[in-house]
Amino acid sequence: MDHQEQQHNTTDNDTLAAKHPLLTPYKMGNFNLSQRVVLAPLTRQRSFNNVPQPHAILYYSQRTSKGGLLITEATGVSDTARGYPNTPGIWTEEQVEAWKPTVDAVHAKGGIFFCQIWHVGRVSNYGLEPNGQAPISSTDKPLAPAEFSPPRRLRTDEIPQVVNAFRIAARNAIEAGMLLFFK
Ligand SMILES: Cc1cc2nc3c(=O)[nH]c(=O)nc-3n(C[C@H](O)[C@H](O)[C@H](O)COP(=O)(O)O)c2cc1C
């Protein structure tokens, strides 16, 4: 690029920044984002039986731009992590495999894709828990709204199981090709 071209580009970028600051590049740690518009994590409840579905390929790739940042909908770390029906998980091999085509589609368009992994604690009910058990939590105090069942406070010796679920989910997300974002 010669000097004149460089000057021209700088002027173009300055004009763009003045007009549309959201569309200017941003360095986020190791990532050079092409612009500052980010796809926030948005629970969709379309992952039947907690398995991401092929239609997620279209949903996420439509929202991808080259160098743009996307965060997945909150994704469960275990079968006790669910607070809403049909939210995706990342604790089984089937779920990991089911995420891959969506991850590949986002990467094919140059997107930067983070997986949001979560455990909802007591924001749950008997119907979403394995064998209809009480949601697990740090407390046995129920939340006020009737849709949430009274939780069971974890024993201290059970806490490592939840930590381990996050560890495995994080590894699974990396195996599926994603970066990580915790909730
Ligand atoms: C339908 C819906 C689903 C959402 N799902 C998630 C989610 O899965 N994880 C999360 O951290 N936030 C979730 N949020 C919060 C959004 O990410 C949040 O609304 C967005 O970042 C914009 O922030 P604001 O609502 O404070 O303006 C959700 C919001 C809505 C409206």
Side-chain angles (χ1 to χ4, degrees), residues 152-168:
R152 179 179 74 80
R153 181 176 43 180
L154 285 177
R155 296 189 311 272
T156 306
D157 69 337
E158 290 177 296
I159 293 172
Q161 291 168 21
V162 179
V163 175
N164 197 42
F166 271 91
R167 191 182 66 82
I168 293 169

Side-chain angles (χ1 to χ4, degrees), residues 106-119:
V106 169
H107 288 167
K109 288 180 79 175
I112 297 161
F113 205 19
F114 275 74
C115 183
Q116 183 181 58
I117 53 176
W118 76 350
H119 191 297

Side-chain angles (χ1 to χ4, degrees), residues 7-8 20 26 28 33 37 47 53 57 59-60 65-66 69 89 100 111 113 122 126 131 142 148 151 163 166 170:
Q7 249 186 351
H8 185 69
H20 307 290
Y26 179 73
M28 186 191 78
L33 308 186
V37 181
S47 295
Q53 301 292 306
I57 301 170
Y59 172 82
Y60 282 104
S65 58
K66 191 167 172 5
L69 171 65
K100 286 181 180 174
F113 205 19
R122 61 182 172 161
Y126 300 135
N131 308 315
F148 305 122
V163 175
F166 271 91

